[in-house]
Amino acid sequence: MGHSEEYQKLEGRIFTKSFFILLSVVLLGFYFVGVRYVKGIGAVSNMSDGYPWGIWITYDVATGTAIACGGYAVAILVYIRNRMQYHPMIRSAILTSMFGYGLAGFSVMVDLGRPWNAYNFFIPSKWQANSAMFEVALCVMAYSTVLILEFLPAILTSIEKSKWERMNAIRNWLHPKIAPDKKTMEDKLEMVRLGAAWLNPRLNKVLIFFIVLGITLPTMHQSSLGSLLLIASTKLHPLWHTGFLPLLFLLNCVFIGYSIAILESIISSYSFKRPFEIEELSGLAGLIPFVTVIWLTVVIGDLSYRGQIHAALKGDFYSGWFMTEFLLVACGSLILFVKKCRRSARWLFISASMIVLGGALYRFNVYLIGFNPGQGWKYFPSFAEVMITVGIVALEILGYKVFVALFPVLPNMDLHGAHKKKGHAKKHKGAEKPLPQTEAHAH
């Protein structure tokens, strides 16, 4: 990740219409976060003693961290399998993971009934080393730190090359009485630039150790997210309760990670009017079916061994959710077995969306839909709970849009450009520029 010439900033304005739409959603979500801290968790949540984990844990932690595994999945491909042709995608995937894991940790602080006691996590005498939940918390916190360190070279490179145009514009905008002295500000900014130039090469020399940690930690806590439900043998429906939960959760995060990397690339290319990275994406897409086939085989084999095939085909409430998750993953994977579909941006988007939805639904089924604490307990998320989650997702998207404009994150188009297909280029709806072509090749 020290090859800074591989990446570039997104040219254009930060404060666009979409920026302010996302910001309004974020502010609404954080309004309810404020209500939660002022009036208590009961003022915004429908959670109860029977359902102590609601949509915040189900989506933001159990599902959100899997969706944020793009950096983990691509890092395995680049640094373990030595597929360096995917290296230009790694920084964007790490940025997505950084926001996903960081905000998952934030959502836990919203979910805690007594957040003022969270400091106990940093006191070793309070640790419960035999707890899978403790291991998840420790790994998520450590992995979030590792992701920040892995992304730091992008920030340092940007500081080294910055002309401080935005800083100077802000200074000029301020009233002369409160604006800092120009010479003093320039001297301090130059010190910051020299510090970044000194730190960047030194960080790149030790970055491989953080990369190894970045691959190890998700392997541990993603399997532990499945282990958390092993003790709920009487509460989790037999369609999902199995001793293979740790393995299924680990495999699940890998194929979701590759799929979300494809979606992130396609959506950002379409939104920012950049060429699609079809060569790299088709390579990723070729790996996904093999992971999903293993996952589906374990699911079917386990159901058969436990005599639950009839429950899967029963046609009741739980069977419907199970078959939906199963068919989304299976059908999305079948599309990717076709080489022509793997080289089509449209089919890549459709198949990756199906796999992400199916994989995410699996985690929802395990943590919420298939969980029944007993008679008398019911749960459906309140409007405030949903809006807090939507606000967190909006903040992830907003942060991504801002960071790609401030720092070199996206693959450099001069090195990883696309040749246009023959024929007429389609246009975006309502846009003047042509739709990026669906065939590209790496340098």
Side-chain angles (χ1 to χ4, degrees):
M1 291 193 298
H3 310 292
S4 58
E5 67 279 358
E6 284 188 331
Y7 310 99
Q8 66 178 172
K9 299 179 185 180
L10 176 68
E11 300 296 332
R13 296 182 299 117
I14 293 178
F15 301 109
T16 60
K17 182 179 179 181
S18 61
F19 175 92
F20 290 105
I21 293 174
L22 288 168
L23 181 61
S24 64
V25 176
V26 171
L27 293 176
L28 179 59
F30 276 72
Y31 163 76
F32 288 112
V33 172
V35 173
R36 176 262 178 273
Y37 281 113
V38 172
K39 296 186 176 182
I41 196 169
V44 297
S45 170
N46 285 340
M47 290 187 290
S48 61
D49 290 342
Y51 285 94
W53 288 350
I55 193 173
W56 293 335
I57 295 299
T58 302
Y59 175 77
D60 298 336
V61 178
T63 306
T65 56
I67 293 175
C69 273
Y72 166 66
V74 176
I76 291 176
L77 196 58
V78 173
Y79 299 109
I80 300 299
R81 300 192 63 194
N82 201 31
R83 301 290 184 88
M84 297 308 293
Q85 66 266 33
Y86 301 106
H87 195 271
M89 301 179 66
I90 190 71
R91 193 171 278 181
S92 181
I94 285 175
L95 177 61
T96 306
S97 297
M98 185 176 71
F99 278 113
Y101 270 87
L103 291 172
F106 169 78
S107 69
V108 170
M109 294 303 297
V110 177
D111 178 82
L112 291 177
R114 297 177 180 178
W116 54 85
N117 287 333
Y119 72 91
N120 286 310
F121 178 78
F122 301 97
I123 302 176
S125 62
K126 303 285 186 178
W127 290 357
Q128 172 49 271
N130 295 322
S131 169
M133 187 180 294
F134 169 76
E135 192 268 343
V136 170
L138 185 65
C139 285
V140 167
M141 185 183 71
Y143 186 50
S144 298
T145 304
V146 168
L147 287 169
I148 293 171
L149 292 172
E150 286 186 287
F151 188 76
L152 193 55
I155 299 175
L156 295 176
T157 299
S158 183
I159 292 174
E160 283 186 72
K161 298 180 179 181
S162 177
K163 297 179 180 178
W164 308 111
E165 293 175 351
R166 289 189 175 92
M167 294 291 291
N168 289 320
I170 293 173
R171 180 192 173 279
N172 295 333
W173 176 78
L174 294 172
H175 192 278
K177 290 185 178 180
I178 61 174
D181 178 70
K182 185 177 181 180
K183 181 66 169 61
T184 303
M185 188 180 79
E186 288 178 350
D187 290 342
K188 290 182 178 180
L189 291 176
E190 183 60 25
M191 290 179 62
V192 173
R193 190 200 312 276
L194 292 174
W198 178 85
L199 180 60
N200 201 9
R202 289 164 175 79
L203 178 61
N204 280 321
K205 289 181 180 180
V206 298
L207 204 57
I208 186 62
F209 298 106
F210 296 111
I211 291 169
V212 172
L213 274 176
I215 294 174
T216 304
L217 291 171
T219 303
M220 296 168 61
H221 69 253
Q222 286 296 333
S223 60
S224 294
L225 282 171
S227 301
L228 287 175
L229 273 298
L230 287 176
I231 61 174
S233 58
T234 61
K235 298 180 180 180
L236 183 59
H237 194 278
L239 281 174
W240 296 284
H241 189 272
T242 168
F244 287 104
L245 272 172
L247 175 62
L248 290 172
F249 265 64
L250 180 59
L251 292 172
N252 174 269
C253 88
V254 173
F255 68 71
I256 288 180
Y258 285 131
S259 300
I260 206 67
I262 291 173
L263 287 180
E264 177 271 322
S265 177
I266 291 176
I267 293 172
S268 63
S269 295
Y270 184 85
S271 300
F272 303 146
K273 301 186 174 51
R274 293 166 53 88
F276 292 130
E277 302 163 296
I278 291 298
E279 283 297 326
E280 290 84 354
L281 298 184
S282 63
L284 288 181
L287 297 172
I288 294 173
F290 296 100
V291 182
T292 55
V293 164
I294 297 173
W295 186 82
L296 293 168
T297 301
V298 173
V299 169
I300 296 173
D302 174 68
L303 289 176
S304 178
Y305 177 77
R306 293 188 293 112
Q308 294 296 327
I309 293 293
H310 70 283
L313 302 175
K314 192 175 181 180
D316 61 359
F317 175 81
Y318 294 108
S319 171
W321 285 109
F322 173 83
M323 291 305 298
T324 301
E325 105 196 2
F326 187 91
L327 290 175
L328 280 171
V329 175
C331 294
S333 302
L334 284 174
I335 293 173
L336 295 180
F337 275 110
V338 181
K339 184 177 180 180
K340 184 178 179 180
C341 293
R342 293 200 302 270
R343 300 196 64 83
S344 165
R346 180 176 288 103
W347 281 111
L348 282 172
F349 180 84
I350 292 172
S351 59
S353 297
M354 292 173 66
I355 292 170
V356 169
L357 287 174
L361 181 57
Y362 168 72
R363 295 191 174 219
F364 260 82
N365 285 336
V366 171
Y367 268 76
L368 190 59
I369 297 172
F371 184 83
N372 184 0
Q375 293 182 353
W377 296 110
K378 294 182 180 180
Y379 169 80
F380 191 84
S382 67
F383 176 75
E385 280 183 273
V386 173
M387 289 314 301
I388 289 174
T389 294
V390 171
I392 289 174
V393 173
L395 183 57
E396 292 182 46
I397 300 172
L398 183 64
Y400 182 90
K401 286 173 64 67
V402 172
F403 269 57
V404 297
L406 294 177
F407 307 113
V409 174
L410 301 174
N412 192 326
M413 291 177 63
D414 293 333
L415 296 177
H416 311 284
H419 290 298
K420 294 183 178 181
K421 288 175 67 178
K422 294 181 180 180
H424 298 288
K426 296 182 180 179
K427 291 187 177 182
H428 290 285
K429 185 177 181 181
E432 294 181 359
K433 294 186 178 181
L435 179 70
Q437 301 302 309
T438 58
E439 292 190 5
H441 62 79
H443 55 88

